Every structure is written in C-alpha cells, then in structure tokens.
Amino acid sequence: MASSSPDLFFLLIFLTLFLTISTSNSLSSSSPSPLSSPSPKPSPISTPRTHSSSSILDPNQLKALQSLNIPTGKTPCSPSHNTTTICDSSTPFSHIVSLNFINCSDDVALSLTALKSLSTVKDLGFYNCPISPIRLPSQLALNLKSFTCVSSLKKLTGVWLSKLVNVTDLTVSHVSIVASGPSIIMNSIKNLHSVTISNANLTGYLPKHWHSNLSYVDLSGNKLKGRIPSSLTELENLVYLNLSSNSLNGTIPASFGDLSSLQNVSLASNSLSGSVPDSFAAIPGLVHLDLGSNQLNGTIPKFISDMKGLKYLNLERNNFHGVLPFNASFIKKLAVLKVGGNSNLCYNHSKLSSKVKLGIAPCDKHGLPMSPPASKDISSDDTDDSDDYADDESQHQEHSHGPSKVVLGISIALSSIVFIIIFLILLAKCCK
C-alpha cells in the first residue's frame, strides 16, 4: 500500500492539472481575450451619407433642389436618374457636398437664388447638360474644390473659370471657351493639381508660368500655338502631359528630361521640329511616348530602347532618317510601335525579321532604304501572327495542288484503259 501511494499522488496531480486546463480553455472560448479589442463601430460622421433614408437635408437646400426641378423624394441624398447628390452627416441637418448633373433636360433652370443655398457644395459637375451658362454665387465659387463640365453649359469664358480660385481639379471638355489663352484661367487658380481643358476651341499660347503642384495637364484638341515654354519642364510632380492636336511649333525643350515623374506624354499632331532631346533618357518611368505627326528630324535616339517601362511608342509621320536603332526584343515588349511615314528611315534586316512589318523599308549596305516603305504600320505581335497565317495558307495551297495532280493522273490512266478495252472489243467483232 505504501508503494502505491506515490502513484496515487501523481495521478491526483495529473487529474487536477487536466481539470484546470479544461476549465481555462472553456472560459477563454466563451469570453473575449483581454489582448483583442472588439471591432469598433463606425463613426456616424466618418463618411458622407448617400443612401440613408434617415438623412434630414437642410430645408433651404431641399427647397433649392426642388426649385431646380431635381427629384428629391424621401431620400434627397441619393442618386436619381439625372443627378448624383452626396451629403455630409452634420447635425441637426445634413448639407450637400457634391452635386453632379447628368443628361439634363431643358427644364433644368439654375437660378442664382437656388445656387446661393447650395454654397456648401465642394464638387460640382455637369455631364451632357447643354443648358444656358450659369452665374455662380461668389460663396459657392470660393468653396468649390472640383469642377467638371463635359459637353455642357454651351459656352464658357476664361473670366468665368478664373473665379474658381480654390479648385484643385478642373475638367472642361467639348465645351467652347472664349479666352485669350489658358493663362487667364490657370494663373488665377493657385492650388490646381489636375487640369483638363480639351476640345474647347481654346486659342492663344501656353502659359509661361506654371504652378509647381500640377501633376496632370491635358490641353489637347485646341488651337494653341507657339513654342513649348521651358518653364513647363520645371514641374517635378507632373505625371501626365497631353498637348496633342494643337498648332505648337519650334523644338521640344532640351530640358524636357527634368520632368522626372512623367509617365505619359503626347505631343502628337503639332508642327514641332528638330530632334528628340537626349534628356528624354533621364525620365525613368516613361510608359507612353507619342511624338507622331510632327516635323521632327534627325535619327531616332538609341536610348529609347533602354527605357524599360516603355509600352507605347509613336514616332510615325515625321522626318526621321537613318537606321532604326531597335532590336527584336525591344520591339516585342512594346504593346504599340508606330514608325511609318518616315520615308528616309529603314531597319537593319540582319537584326529584325522581315516578318515584322514596321511600315519602313529594310536598309541597304549604305544605311539607306532599299525600297519604298509600306503604307501601313503593323504591330510586331500581329505581324507574326499574320505572317504565320500566310505561311500556313501557302502550305495549304501547295498540299491542295498535290492531290489534284494525282487525281488527274489516275483519271487519265483509267480513261486510257477503258479506251483500250473498247478498242479491243470492236477489233474482235470486226475480225469475225
């Protein structure tokens, strides 16, 4: 009995530990851990309300929406068929912070009185709303941070747009603007980050002074003339630049490579001359480069093939000459390559396959085009596929011609045998 006492003692200790561990596990599974905090409830003022049926809009703003023939219903802070309204969550009444008019009908009349009640709006947009030009109350104009006008308001003036002094995002497209140039608009808006004034029939010259915080500039499809000012290249934060389809002339600034953040640039369809500046090699993240349809000359710089991120390259319809400095691996990685329309440009046929139709001729031993260039650019991937398809077609035709000759030979042989049999039969009858 004494010898079994230690065994019994250890057994009791084991049972005690087992019960303790089981109890603690059950408690931990039924109650939250002190190391983890419960998920916080969303703050009632953290996000704007757009669909809440409990939203109580400021009565004056509700009346203003109704006077503008905007359906309000039970939830004025929710999208309708022709407007998008976003409200904040202030108390006791919410206020409109974003108002976008979409596909407006002729019965929309933006009265000055109604707009004065909407001075809390920070984002104002018009999309396909060809209504008469409006007069913005001064308080509303000062509060706006974003203004968008696409195919709307029939006509705008530079003076009208220049009053949006606190806007950071300005978009005006497919709207005629009466102004002496973009300077009267952009120079007045000090905090502008993104500006799009495209297809607006805008005349004049590019600004000589630019705000340093600009990151997006699109002035395409206008009637701007003159040279590209070197001051433009001081925009270190510029990511997107589109000056295409204007009447710009002169050379591309030698300091263009100072735009170190640039990813997308289009200077196409202008009258730019001279060579491509070597400073382009200093733009590390360039993805899209469009210099097509200008009067650029000289040779195509070899450093372009060292741009690892480049996916779109358009150099067509210029006056480039010499040998194309690109190899097959560079061309293959591009999604789009256009170099046609340069009559004195050719490619080294020992480095590039004739399957890659680039719209230019191969070079002779003197580095000159051997024949007139093709009339159409074809991307390398599509060309390989089309040429492979042509090879398959030619092989198919060869195979189809082979069986036809065999069948023809067999037919002639059979006809000859039948003729001989008939001849023998007739000959036998004659002999009898």
Side-chain angles (χ1 to χ4, degrees):
M1 186 72 178
S3 62
S4 63
S5 297
D7 295 336
L8 181 61
F9 176 76
F10 286 116
L11 179 61
L12 290 175
I13 293 176
F14 174 79
L15 290 174
T16 303
L17 290 173
F18 176 79
L19 291 174
T20 303
I21 293 173
S22 300
T23 305
S24 62
N25 286 340
S26 62
L27 289 175
S28 62
S29 62
S30 61
S31 61
S33 170
L35 298 178
S36 61
S37 58
S39 301
K41 295 182 180 180
S43 171
I45 59 173
S46 59
T47 56
R49 293 182 303 193
T50 58
H51 298 83
S52 174
S53 59
S54 62
S55 175
I56 302 177
L57 184 63
D58 182 283
N60 292 329
Q61 293 195 340
L62 179 61
K63 184 178 179 181
L65 293 180
Q66 293 170 345
S67 69
L68 297 176
N69 294 322
I70 298 176
T72 55
K74 296 181 180 180
T75 56
C77 292
S78 63
S80 65
H81 70 286
N82 64 345
T83 58
T84 300
T85 306
I86 298 178
C87 304
D88 62 15
S89 297
S90 56
T91 55
F93 301 112
S94 62
H95 296 89
I96 300 173
V97 294
S98 177
L99 180 60
N100 294 308
F101 297 85
I102 305 170
N103 298 324
C104 303
S105 58
D106 295 336
D107 60 351
V108 174
L110 303 184
S111 68
L112 183 63
T113 302
L115 291 175
K116 284 183 177 179
S117 300
L118 300 174
S119 59
T120 58
V121 172
K122 298 182 182 298
D123 173 16
L124 180 62
F126 298 89
Y127 302 85
N128 193 28
C129 290
I131 58 179
S132 300
I134 61 175
R135 178 185 171 191
L136 287 183
S138 58
Q139 190 60 45
L140 175 58
L142 291 174
N143 282 348
L144 285 180
K145 299 297 182 183
S146 174
F147 178 78
T148 302
C149 183
V150 178
S151 301
S152 303
L153 302 185
K154 294 182 179 179
K155 182 181 291 187
L156 292 172
T157 66
V159 174
W160 191 94
L161 291 169
S162 67
K163 294 179 180 179
L164 309 178
V165 294
N166 292 319
V167 162
T168 60
D169 187 344
L170 176 65
T171 300
V172 181
S173 182
H174 294 90
V175 183
S176 181
I177 297 178
V178 179
S180 58
S183 298
I184 191 174
I185 303 169
M186 298 173 60
N187 289 350
S188 301
I189 307 177
K190 307 296 184 182
N191 298 318
L192 200 59
H193 287 271
S194 173
V195 56
T196 297
I197 305 177
S198 62
N199 300 290
N201 203 32
L202 189 63
T203 60
Y205 299 87
L206 291 174
K208 291 184 179 180
H209 304 287
W210 304 78
H211 299 305
S212 59
N213 44 351
L214 277 168
S215 60
Y216 189 104
V217 174
D218 183 355
L219 299 177
S220 62
N222 289 296
K223 297 180 179 180
L224 300 175
K225 57 185 178 180
R227 304 171 68 92
I228 299 176
S230 58
S231 57
L232 176 64
T233 65
E234 298 174 1
L235 300 178
E236 297 180 354
N237 299 318
L238 192 63
V239 175
Y240 182 99
L241 175 64
N242 189 352
L243 302 178
S244 64
S245 301
N246 280 288
S247 299
L248 301 175
N249 55 34
T251 60
I252 301 174
S255 57
F256 206 87
D258 293 343
L259 297 171
S260 57
S261 299
L262 202 60
Q263 297 178 11
N264 188 313
V265 57
S266 178
L267 306 178
S269 301
N270 281 288
S271 299
L272 299 173
S273 58
S275 59
V276 179
D278 293 338
S279 62
F280 268 90
I283 307 177
L286 201 59
V287 176
H288 181 115
L289 176 59
D290 190 350
L291 303 177
S293 301
N294 278 288
Q295 300 170 17
L296 299 172
N297 51 43
T299 58
I300 295 178
K302 188 179 184 303
F303 65 75
I304 292 180
S305 61
D306 296 327
M307 294 181 172
K308 297 180 180 179
L310 198 63
K311 295 298 180 183
Y312 181 103
L313 178 60
N314 182 7
L315 302 173
E316 68 178 358
R317 298 190 181 95
N318 279 285
N319 298 320
F320 292 116
H321 67 267
V323 182
L324 189 70
F326 305 147
N327 56 32
S329 60
F330 173 76
I331 292 177
K332 187 175 182 179
K333 78 168 188 175
L334 293 176
V336 174
L337 172 61
K338 298 180 180 181
V339 293
N342 292 280
S343 58
N344 294 318
L345 186 67
C346 58
Y347 69 92
N348 189 337
H349 55 83
S350 64
K351 293 184 178 180
L352 297 176
S353 170
S354 59
K355 290 184 177 182
V356 183
K357 305 299 182 183
L358 298 171
I360 58 176
C363 300
D364 60 16
K365 62 181 181 179
H366 303 292
L368 299 175
M370 295 177 61
S371 60
S375 60
K376 186 177 181 181
D377 277 309
I378 305 176
S379 65
S380 57
D381 291 340
D382 293 341
T383 302
D384 290 338
D385 293 340
S386 61
D387 284 342
D388 292 341
Y389 177 78
D391 293 340
D392 293 340
E393 282 293 304
S394 63
Q395 293 174 6
H396 175 71
Q397 290 176 2
E398 291 174 4
H399 290 309
S400 63
H401 290 163
S404 298
K405 293 179 180 179
V406 173
V407 172
L408 181 60
I410 294 174
S411 299
I412 293 173
L414 291 175
S415 300
S416 300
I417 293 171
V418 172
F419 176 79
I420 293 171
I421 293 173
I422 294 174
F423 174 78
L424 292 174
I425 293 174
L426 292 175
L427 184 61
K429 288 183 178 180
C430 291
C431 292
K432 290 179 180 181

